[in-house]
Amino acid sequence: MSRIWSRKRVVGRVAVGVAAAALVAGLASACSNDSSGSGSDTVYFGVSGPKTGGSAEYGRLWQQGFDLALDEINANGGINGKKVALKWEDSQSDPKQTVPIATKFVGDQSIIAELGDFSSPASIAASPVYNRGKLVQYGFTNSSVDFTKGGDYSWSPSITLDVFQERNAEWVKSKAKKVSVVYLETDWGKQAFQYFQQFAKEKGVEIAYSSSILPDSQDFRPVLIKGRDANPDAFVHLGYGPDGALVAKQLRDVGFNGQFFGGQNTPQFIDLAGKAAEGDIVNGVFTPSDPNPKIQNFVTKFKAKFNTDPGDFNVYAYDALNVLVKAAKYGGATRDGVLKGLREIKDFDGIGLGTFAFDQQTRRPSGVKPIELILQNGKFLPVGSNK
């Protein structure tokens, strides 16, 4: 009797072992199929970005750029006949949320690359997860020089803060010898100020006063009054659109009427700042007044869909999705295929950056520069265009 029971236990264990092995093999096969796209008629990209919270406006602008890109990509056959779609997770651009989102995306084998997050600190927090999971993290608005140091899977087409702030200091020099500066009390803001301070000194621009500002503050006037009392020729703001609009308006409230450098090329900044920002000068990558036929074709299609002119953040998203789709067409609709495309393609063609290739050491575009834009009658135009 004991021998019979012993044989039953052995047989049972073998059966369980075989079943478990089959299950593991089946899961591995399923993951492989999902990752390659062969098990589905849709190719997915993950988006980690703000849909709610203080940065929600940027998510809205991204969505418009993505939607137009998806219309065109899918109308032209998607990726090798497969439809392209997005799986979006609302991060509020918060590092505490981007890490679990990264874990979710890495575990979802149908996602072949990730787009986002909006802010550099939010993206940098998640970089270790994407790099361990070997999923391309395409931080297309991440200007921190540290972002692509996260590993071989961290890529960005964004112009870096050092390049932005060198050009910013050059443009400030043409208008002012002495400035007051406010910058966001974030890692990004501190790094932006560090570079502006360096290049301002090199170019002979005196910083008479400087202070950090809290991103969620609604009253910057105590700081701005101190900056005003330093008697600057111009005021420089290093931050985003919402805080930039408040700074512009409150500067006028406290009686500073000189040149303003700051804010962003977004509809939200223009609407919130109103007349207070007239003449404002910013760094940018795009203007809808560019006569280039390719640019005008894009502007026409965007206005037809959304009844408004596109801005920088619409262009960032539109270009980003097109870059990853081109990489997947070249290397294959897999995680490895996207990486191969980013490494080997020499002629990515964007609305914002033109034709470019990635520097394989920095994983950023080679040789691209921002353009100088001035706000005139509610639109950002190239400085000197007189339009």
Side-chain angles (χ1 to χ4, degrees):
M1 188 73 175
S2 62
R3 292 178 183 174
I4 295 173
W5 175 241
S6 178
R7 285 197 298 270
K8 284 182 177 179
R9 282 192 296 178
V10 171
V11 170
R13 286 171 182 168
V14 171
V16 169
V18 170
L23 178 60
V24 170
L27 286 173
S29 176
C31 288
S32 175
N33 287 340
D34 284 345
S35 181
S36 69
S38 61
S40 171
D41 61 358
T42 303
V43 176
Y44 291 101
F45 295 93
V47 180
S48 174
K51 286 266 191 171
T52 59
S55 298
E57 172 68 4
Y58 298 99
R60 185 184 72 82
L61 298 175
W62 282 13
Q63 185 72 66
Q64 290 176 330
F66 287 146
D67 285 350
L68 182 58
L70 285 170
D71 287 349
E72 296 172 2
I73 290 164
N74 288 323
N76 291 320
I79 298 177
N80 303 325
K82 294 187 177 184
K83 180 182 177 181
V84 175
L86 304 178
K87 292 187 177 182
W88 190 310
E89 291 289 333
D90 179 13
S91 67
Q92 296 188 335
S93 202
D94 180 352
K96 295 184 182 68
Q97 298 191 49
T98 56
V99 174
I101 289 171
T103 301
K104 182 175 182 178
F105 283 166
V106 167
D108 183 345
Q109 294 295 322
S110 70
I111 293 174
I112 65 169
E114 182 268 347
L115 295 129
D117 206 275
F118 165 65
S119 73
S120 295
S123 291
I124 289 170
S127 290
V129 179
Y130 289 115
N131 279 275
R132 285 196 302 268
K134 297 183 178 181
L135 178 66
V136 165
Q137 177 191 27
Y138 198 67
F140 60 97
T141 59
N142 297 154
S143 56
S144 169
V145 296
D146 295 326
F147 168 66
T148 57
K149 295 176 183 177
D152 292 344
Y153 290 83
S154 296
W155 296 71
S156 177
S158 178
I159 298 169
T160 51
L161 277 175
D162 53 344
V163 175
F164 267 126
Q165 295 310 324
E166 181 176 19
R167 294 298 291 269
N168 198 20
E170 185 66 33
W171 296 328
V172 168
K173 178 185 176 183
S174 70
K175 298 281 186 182
K177 293 182 179 180
K178 183 168 72 169
V179 298
S180 290
V181 184
V182 292
Y183 57 93
L184 288 182
E185 180 63 31
T186 63
D187 290 342
W188 178 92
K190 292 173 185 176
Q191 191 175 85
F193 177 64
Q194 171 194 332
Y195 282 117
F196 180 80
Q197 187 177 41
Q198 172 190 333
F199 292 118
K201 182 178 181 180
E202 289 179 8
K203 297 176 188 300
V205 176
E206 177 190 352
I207 298 177
Y209 173 82
S210 64
S211 177
S212 62
I213 55 175
L214 296 175
D216 56 355
S217 176
Q218 295 299 304
D219 187 2
F220 301 125
R221 282 170 290 194
V223 168
L224 300 180
I225 288 170
K226 293 179 181 178
R228 176 203 66 190
D229 290 347
N231 297 314
D233 303 318
F235 228 100
V236 178
H237 161 260
L238 305 174
Y240 299 146
D243 46 281
L246 283 175
V247 168
K249 291 181 74 171
Q250 291 173 11
L251 270 176
R252 305 318 181 198
D253 291 344
V254 302
F256 180 81
N257 295 309
Q259 178 66 49
F260 178 62
F261 294 84
Q264 285 181 318
N265 179 13
T266 66
Q268 184 187 43
F269 171 76
I270 295 171
D271 291 343
L272 290 176
K275 292 182 180 179
E278 184 71 9
D280 174 35
I281 294 175
V282 299
N283 285 306
V285 299
F286 166 83
T287 172
S289 67
D290 189 327
N292 183 314
K294 180 180 73 172
I295 305 297
Q296 287 307 304
N297 180 49
F298 168 76
V299 170
T300 298
K301 290 184 293 187
F302 190 92
K303 289 180 73 171
K305 187 173 180 66
F306 300 109
N307 197 33
T308 187
D309 280 332
D312 280 5
F313 288 87
N314 302 126
V315 170
Y316 291 145
Y318 177 88
D319 282 350
L321 187 53
N322 275 297
V323 163
L324 292 187
V325 166
K326 183 168 184 173
K329 287 181 176 179
Y330 174 91
T334 65
R335 295 180 176 187
D336 288 343
V338 171
L339 185 65
K340 177 180 174 67
L342 292 174
R343 285 175 169 170
E344 297 182 9
I345 293 174
K346 305 301 181 186
D347 60 346
F348 288 111
D349 192 21
I351 298 297
L353 300 181
T355 302
F356 69 94
F358 283 96
D359 181 306
Q360 295 303 306
Q361 297 303 311
T362 64
R363 292 177 295 284
R364 291 189 184 268
S366 303
V368 296
K369 300 289 184 182
I371 57 176
E372 187 180 16
L373 302 174
I374 186 168
L375 187 61
Q376 295 180 337
N377 300 316
K379 293 186 176 182
F380 275 109
L381 304 171
V383 170
S385 64
N386 296 318
K387 291 185 179 180

